[in-house]
Amino acid sequence: MDPFVVAGGDAAGLSAASKCKRESPDRDVIVFEKGQWVSYAHCGTPYFVKGEVEELTNLVSLTPDDVATRDIDLRRGHEVVDVDDAAKTVTVEGPDGQFEQAYGDLLLGTGARAIRSPFDGLDLLGAFTLHGLPDAAAIRAFVDASFDPHEAALGPMDPATLDRFANVPAPEAAAVVGGGYVGVEMAEALTAQGLDVHLFQRGSHLLPPFGPAVGEAVADELADEGVTVHTDTAVEAIEGDGRVERVAYEGGSVSVGAAVVGIGIEPNTALAEAAGADLGDSDAVAVDRYGRTGVDGVYAAGDCAESRNTVSGEPTWVPLGLTANRAGRAIGATVTGDPTPVGDIACTAVVKAFDLGAGRAGFVTEAAAREAGFEPVTETITAGSRSGYYPGGAETTVTLTADRGTGRVLGASVVGADRAAKRIDTVATALDAGHTVAELERLDLAYAPPFSPVWDPILVAAKVLGGSV
Ligand SMILES: Cc1cc2nc3c(=O)[nH]c(=O)nc-3n(C[C@H](O)[C@H](O)[C@H](O)COP(=O)(O)OP(=O)(O)OC[C@H]3O[C@@H](n4cnc5c(N)ncnc54)[C@H](O)[C@@H]3O)c2cc1C
């Protein structure tokens, strides 16, 4: 049988390759990765910039040697540039030129790329996007005067590529453009590096998918920690003479020496399109519940592909880590003859902003729920995170949304300073089960004073919302 060929050597791609090899050791598995890094954690990059994660190589889960031990044929520096679905071959460009590789099954795990700004200035020294370990290394070298690339563990990176960032005086102030989770995490990271940070958000709230209660709480937290938060402010240009000197927005400008632009990502779909696969409304690759693209033997998973929304049943694109790992692993099983659904997503996400943690799942805002065809009703409550008499508690704010007609839970957000974020997992589970608010309220959640009040804040929200559905 022709090999299982994978394009992309990170979360989706290597999960699939590993699972396939584990279940079917005799099947040849080839992973082509166009870069030099494999099995790395984008998610840890803000914490590397912050200095909390000391070395870049700490963000690698499996080294190329680990991958080889799994008997996976990993080819770094190899980009898959074309797919011939009729011949079942891919065209690969590697260090020794171009060649064709036959496949029996093909997984496109090509991820996404950062959206370059719609404004000028991203080519200036000190202007960055953050998508990958090389970006994180460049930002750290630029903002952290104590970081010496020639002393650091940089894995496959040549430290000399960072000299232009390290050999200039570190900036005193930075702009973060975009108030999504990458922007919020970078605001914290750059503040921790001693920079004066300005965070720009075009809309009225940070973290829009988390809803206004979270957005406001996170904006207050950032402000308390010294970040200047500019909401309703669209950046128009990053300006400077060779190096970032200021960021201009409608009605003003602010002097900064660095700018990190985190305004979103777009899926890498060129290969899927070359294979003849359809894109969905989101412009990511449309797949069925097994990750199949509709082109014989061609699968797609991770940031380049859509998923099915747990609540609405509709295709959606919310590119996150577990989604990629889980879908990759399922496809790795499917190609061995064990058909395994990639799983639906409740779009569950968590984020840290200094001492605050926030989580979200499903449809949080009434507007989003209405757009998905529901008749939403929402309540926001604030409750303690532990028994009132037990030290260490903090206010926890929960927004819970349900469908008025059926009482079905549609989504929630949670925010607070005492382990609030992961409380969202209760709601994610309820969404998967299709629970009503009454069923959520009846869940037997754990209680002891150091962990929770008798009525967990999620249960309090369910009790309150139960009166309205
Ligand atoms: C800064 C940041 C923070 C994040 N934090 C979180 C978080 O806290 N929680 C969370 O759930 N998610 C987080 N994510 C998202 C998460 O990292 C992604 O969802 C996940 O990495 C997607 O995995 P993937 O394998 O689909 O894509 P990627 O990890 O992007 O890997 C795709 C790989 O494919 C390679 N490739 C692309 N095209 C080709 C080709 N033609 N041939 C060969 N190779 C190719 C690329 O070089 C890349 O290595 C974060 C992302 C970023 C950028």
Side-chain angles (χ1 to χ4, degrees):
M1 186 182 234
D2 281 325
F4 176 36
V5 169
V6 175
D10 195 29
L14 276 183
S15 297
S18 298
K19 181 66 177 171
C20 175
K21 253 312 181 191
R22 205 171 308 125
E23 299 306 319
S24 196
D26 293 337
R27 180 93 190 259
D28 286 334
V29 177
I30 306 174
V31 176
F32 293 112
E33 165 54 52
K34 72 175 181 183
Q36 290 301 322
W37 292 95
V38 292
S39 188
Y40 51 90
H42 285 289
C43 317
T45 52
Y47 304 102
F48 171 74
V49 173
K50 186 180 177 188
E52 210 166 25
V53 174
E54 263 179 43
E55 300 290 0
L56 201 58
T57 48
N58 295 152
L59 299 179
V60 171
S61 170
L62 294 176
T63 65
D65 285 346
D66 296 332
V67 178
T69 309
R70 297 182 178 193
D71 199 19
I72 293 166
D73 182 356
L74 171 65
R75 318 256 191 101
R76 292 183 293 158
H78 285 74
E79 180 171 4
V80 181
V81 294
D82 203 2
V83 182
D84 183 338
D85 64 303
K88 285 198 153 189
T89 58
V90 290
T91 307
V92 184
E93 251 170 36
D96 301 324
Q98 221 175 60
F99 61 94
E100 309 289 309
Q101 169 65 54
Y103 65 82
D105 298 288
L106 171 66
L107 169 62
L108 307 175
T110 49
R113 60 189 178 277
I115 296 177
R116 306 282 296 177
S117 53
F119 40 77
D120 290 337
L122 251 182
D123 50 339
L124 295 172
L125 181 64
F128 304 95
T129 53
L130 176 60
H131 201 269
L133 271 51
D135 289 342
I139 300 173
R140 175 86 177 266
F142 196 69
V143 302
D144 180 356
S146 69
F147 181 77
D148 179 354
H150 294 269
E151 297 292 320
L154 293 176
M157 277 190 78
D158 176 1
T161 60
L162 297 176
D163 284 346
R164 60 189 285 258
F165 303 109
N167 294 345
V168 289
E172 290 176 5
V176 174
V177 184
Y181 73 88
V182 173
V184 167
E185 290 171 356
M186 285 306 295
E188 176 180 333
L190 296 172
T191 303
Q193 284 292 0
L195 278 75
D196 186 9
V197 176
H198 291 259
L199 175 63
F200 292 91
Q201 166 71 337
R202 199 170 46 176
S204 53
H205 290 108
L206 303 182
L207 298 168
F210 287 70
V214 173
E216 283 161 23
V218 168
D220 289 348
E221 176 73 4
L222 294 182
D224 287 349
E225 297 288 344
V227 176
T228 308
V229 179
H230 306 255
T231 47
D232 290 314
T233 308
V235 165
E236 290 176 337
I238 303 170
E239 297 173 342
D241 183 8
R243 184 179 164 161
V244 174
E245 291 169 16
R246 73 201 149 265
V247 159
Y249 51 93
E250 198 185 310
S253 71
V254 60
S255 295
V256 291
V260 178
V261 177
I263 53 174
I265 59 173
E266 47 201 3
N268 291 326
T269 55
L271 269 187
E273 290 173 89
D278 289 334
L279 305 187
D281 289 344
S282 68
D283 283 340
V285 185
V287 290
D288 70 5
R289 49 194 298 260
Y290 295 94
R292 294 181 294 220
T293 63
V295 179
D296 185 36
V298 181
Y299 299 76
D303 284 6
C304 66
E306 292 185 330
S307 303
R308 196 173 70 161
N309 188 299
T310 302
V311 182
S312 67
E314 295 296 319
T316 189
W317 185 61
V318 179
L320 287 170
L322 178 63
T323 309
N325 280 279
R326 197 178 57 168
R329 185 179 151 86
I331 290 164
T334 297
V335 298
T336 66
D338 174 19
T340 305
V342 294
D344 295 347
I345 60 165
C347 313
T348 314
V350 286
V351 64
K352 174 180 180 300
F354 294 96
D355 292 334
L356 272 194
R360 56 95 57 226
F363 295 104
V364 179
T365 63
E366 291 196 359
R370 203 165 281 122
E371 203 176 308
F374 297 101
E375 196 192 327
V377 50
T378 296
E379 288 286 353
T380 296
I381 63 95
T382 296
S385 62
R386 309 180 188 200
S387 297
Y389 54 83
Y390 194 89
E395 283 189 345
T396 304
T397 299
V398 179
T399 296
L400 187 63
T401 301
D403 186 44
R404 191 184 295 277
T406 62
R408 183 178 168 200
V409 177
L410 299 178
S413 71
V414 57
V415 63
D418 182 29
R419 302 157 301 134
K422 286 288 280 178
R423 282 196 148 105
I424 201 63
D425 287 344
T426 303
V427 179
T429 309
L431 292 174
D432 201 65
H435 280 338
T436 62
V437 178
E439 287 167 331
L440 176 62
E441 186 188 334
R442 280 199 299 274
L443 289 182
D444 178 25
L445 302 189
Y447 155 64
F451 301 106
S452 171
V454 178
W455 291 92
D456 184 279
I458 297 289
L459 299 182
V460 176
K463 276 201 296 183
V464 173
L465 185 61
S468 315
V469 288

